[in-house]
Amino acid sequence: MNPEATENSLEESSVTMVDILQEERELEEEYNAVLGASDEDCCTYSKGAIKRQALYSCLTCCPEARKNLEKCAGVCLACSYRCHENHELVELYTKRNFRCDCPTERFVRLHHCLLNPGVVTLQAPNSENLYNQNFQGLYCKCKRPYPDPERTSEEVMLQCTVCEDWFHLHHLDVSASAAKIAETDACCEMICGDCMQKHAFLQNYTGLTLNALDEADESLANITVTGDTSLREDHDKLHSDLDKSISDIMNMGENEGEMANEKVESSDENAAIVEDTNDSGPKAKRQKYDNEQKSVTENIEDIPKSVKSANGCRRPKGEGDYQKGATFWSNDWREALCQCCDCMTLYKTQKVEYLVDKEDSAKLYEERGKRRGATNSTYEQGIRALASMDRVQQIDAITEYNRMKDKLKEYLQTFAASKKVVTEADINRFFEEMRNDKNADVGQPYFCR
């Protein structure tokens, strides 16, 4: 084989330091998103239930949890490092309104939280904590672990905003086009089909879902437009109306005092606004949805919006076109949820009042973690450490880095030549050899000769 061709092949298939640093940065961003906003030094038990934090389930300390959900326990990030090191931990991503179980009687084995030395005896279990099958290491309707050792293809999983379980995309009982929506940047939150049925009031808001846009696209895709652009204009208007629907619902009721003396327009007059020969078309559906949102209430100008009476409810009436399956929502859909007295009572009764909390979403939690991590990244730490060195130390550090880079490139090229996969053990072996070489170079100091 041509030596030059071999060298070119090695260059193309080898892993460079740029690749490694890029992968390191991506891993660090992922770490910051999930863990960056959680406390890694102090147990959060004393803080009570945390709105959202990274959690772990310890199956070493709670072996009965594998078969009995009532025996599960969750620990915070700091306790996973200090109190449960080398234990069998199930990573739970984040959970809302959870209090660390580490210092409590949830742990059947002799155990004391190392981060709460003042707590001599185990505390009573946290009665408000919620536990699902994730604490047993199981996910989705298929009740399989993640990652699934029997799965050979990529696993796409989404977390339900309400029950916080994780689901395989292909187990969500949605159309192929809706599944594509789930993978777009526009989709920020998902609510599984079971939660949509359990909390039926959510069905009133399905006109705001990304699924609604998808259905409109599908219906228009089946229409042949010949010369007349009116249908396309209807399509564009529908998209525009749906984009504005959240703000429309939020603004309803704000001018109720001024509207109190106006007459309610009849449903016939409302229906006559748009002429649509197809009663089931997207234009008619949108008009029906708009009509259902309109309401005129008594003058309650002096009453805060959050405690308005049922007459001031801004929740759309009816269940819209919802049938079954999961729904996908944009980032600001929660802003449209009515916060009148009756609706707030409903949320509290169904224990979903967190839906109107602006700081509840996992997306905001991740953004906080990224911002926090950006100010304390490995790269920034390295720059600060380098700046604190004197000139001679800086030169030594840079020289050592270049030596390590050349050695690593040479080491990885052997894998590229043999087309072998680089494993974690291979990388650990490389750095062990680097340490041994460094120790071997240490001899009698030059100034002692």
Side-chain angles (χ1 to χ4, degrees):
M1 186 175 182
N2 189 338
E4 184 176 350
T6 304
E7 183 177 352
N8 292 335
S9 176
L10 286 174
E11 289 292 334
E12 293 176 0
S13 58
S14 63
V15 180
T16 67
M17 279 300 298
V18 174
D19 298 328
I20 294 174
L21 291 174
Q22 178 61 32
E23 182 178 359
E24 176 67 21
R25 175 163 294 186
E26 292 174 356
L27 290 174
E28 189 167 11
E29 288 180 353
E30 183 178 351
Y31 170 89
N32 289 331
V34 179
L35 307 179
S38 294
D39 193 333
E40 62 180 16
D41 298 316
C42 302
C43 174
T44 59
Y45 175 79
S46 62
K47 299 178 182 178
I50 305 296
K51 281 188 176 182
R52 186 170 290 279
Q53 63 176 319
L55 288 176
Y56 299 82
S57 172
C58 185
L59 298 181
T60 299
C61 295
C62 302
E64 297 180 23
R66 299 176 188 275
K67 297 182 179 180
N68 187 352
L69 194 60
E70 295 181 358
K71 300 294 183 180
C72 291
V75 298
C76 65
L77 178 63
C79 287
S80 73
Y81 291 155
R82 292 289 305 279
C83 308
H84 303 270
E85 185 180 8
N86 298 323
H87 289 192
E88 184 180 354
L89 296 174
V90 177
E91 185 175 2
L92 300 172
Y93 183 56
T94 69
K95 298 290 182 184
R96 64 166 62 91
N97 299 330
F98 196 95
R99 188 179 191 183
C100 181
D101 284 323
C102 195
T104 72
E105 295 173 353
R106 273 278 178 175
F107 292 101
V108 296
R109 296 187 176 184
L110 293 178
H111 169 82
H112 291 283
C113 180
L114 300 177
L115 298 177
N116 285 282
V119 179
V120 180
T121 59
L122 294 179
Q123 302 298 295
N126 299 312
S127 59
E128 298 299 319
N129 283 354
L130 298 178
Y131 307 88
N132 62 12
Q133 65 173 353
N134 298 167
F135 287 78
Q136 299 172 308
L138 304 176
Y139 304 87
C140 192
K141 297 177 180 179
C142 59
K143 300 184 182 299
R144 295 291 300 168
Y146 179 84
D148 193 337
E150 297 182 5
R151 191 176 181 87
T152 57
S153 58
E154 181 183 4
E155 291 184 271
V156 178
M157 300 193 76
L158 301 174
Q159 186 182 35
C160 175
T161 296
V162 178
C163 68
E164 296 192 296
D165 197 355
W166 290 82
F167 295 86
H168 293 103
L169 183 56
H170 61 278
H171 287 161
L172 286 177
D173 193 21
V174 295
S175 65
S177 54
K180 292 181 179 179
I181 289 179
E183 298 176 325
T184 65
D185 293 336
C187 179
C188 291
E189 293 189 316
M190 180 274 291
I191 300 179
C192 70
D194 289 343
C195 287
M196 288 296 298
Q197 296 293 340
K198 182 179 179 180
H199 306 287
F201 73 89
L202 291 170
Q203 299 176 19
N204 302 134
Y205 293 95
T206 51
L208 307 177
T209 64
L210 297 175
N211 308 55
L213 280 173
D214 170 62
E215 291 171 359
D217 287 336
E218 283 187 344
S219 62
L220 286 168
N222 295 326
I223 301 175
T224 303
V225 180
T226 56
D228 189 358
T229 61
S230 61
L231 290 176
R232 175 52 54 186
E233 292 174 354
D234 288 345
H235 169 262
D236 294 338
K237 184 178 184 300
L238 177 61
H239 275 262
S240 177
D241 288 343
L242 285 172
D243 289 340
K244 296 178 181 178
S245 56
I246 290 180
S247 59
D248 290 343
I249 293 177
M250 291 185 64
N251 291 331
M252 287 181 63
E254 291 183 355
N255 298 322
E256 289 168 347
E258 299 177 2
M259 298 171 60
N261 297 323
E262 295 181 3
K263 295 182 179 180
V264 181
E265 296 180 359
S266 67
S267 57
D268 292 339
E269 291 174 339
N270 290 332
I273 295 177
V274 177
E275 296 180 358
D276 194 339
T277 56
N278 182 5
D279 293 338
S280 61
K283 192 172 183 180
K285 290 180 181 179
R286 179 60 201 174
Q287 184 59 41
K288 178 183 177 182
Y289 181 77
D290 285 342
N291 291 339
E292 289 172 346
Q293 295 183 37
K294 292 183 178 180
S295 64
V296 180
T297 64
E298 298 177 356
N299 189 344
I300 49 176
E301 184 177 357
D302 297 331
I303 302 178
K305 185 185 296 186
S306 59
V307 292
K308 287 181 180 179
S309 66
N311 290 331
C313 181
R314 296 182 292 115
R315 175 156 56 102
K317 307 304 179 184
E319 297 180 358
D321 296 328
Y322 178 76
Q323 296 180 352
K324 64 176 183 177
T327 52
F328 307 103
W329 308 76
S330 61
N331 184 45
D332 54 356
W333 76 275
R334 298 193 193 199
E335 298 177 12
L337 291 175
C338 178
Q339 297 187 45
C340 73
C341 183
D342 290 344
C343 284
M344 292 300 293
T345 300
L346 175 65
Y347 304 153
K348 186 174 182 179
T349 302
Q350 298 191 16
K351 297 182 178 181
V352 293
E353 58 265 41
Y354 51 80
L355 288 177
V356 295
D357 182 355
K358 295 181 179 180
E359 298 182 358
D360 171 76
S361 72
K363 181 178 178 62
L364 289 179
Y365 168 88
E366 290 184 355
E367 290 176 351
R368 289 197 301 272
K370 289 179 179 179
R371 288 195 298 268
R372 181 178 174 184
T375 61
N376 195 34
S377 66
T378 303
Y379 174 78
E380 293 292 340
Q381 292 176 10
I383 292 298
R384 287 196 294 269
L386 192 62
S388 65
M389 300 177 181
D390 60 34
R391 184 67 175 171
V392 175
Q393 290 175 323
Q394 288 179 351
I395 293 175
D396 288 343
I398 294 173
T399 301
E400 187 64 24
Y401 170 79
N402 288 331
R403 173 175 172 271
M404 185 273 290
K405 179 185 68 173
D406 295 337
K407 286 281 188 180
L408 182 60
K409 182 177 180 180
E410 180 182 346
Y411 180 74
L412 294 176
Q413 281 183 335
T414 61
F415 289 87
S418 59
K419 297 183 179 180
K420 289 177 58 179
V421 176
V422 182
T423 65
E424 181 180 358
D426 295 326
I427 297 299
N428 290 336
R429 183 166 56 252
F430 167 78
F431 285 107
E432 182 64 29
E433 292 176 355
M434 287 287 294
R435 282 191 292 270
N436 293 337
D437 290 344
K438 185 176 181 180
N439 293 334
D441 292 340
V442 176
Q444 186 180 18
Y446 176 81
F447 55 81
C448 292
R449 293 176 182 173

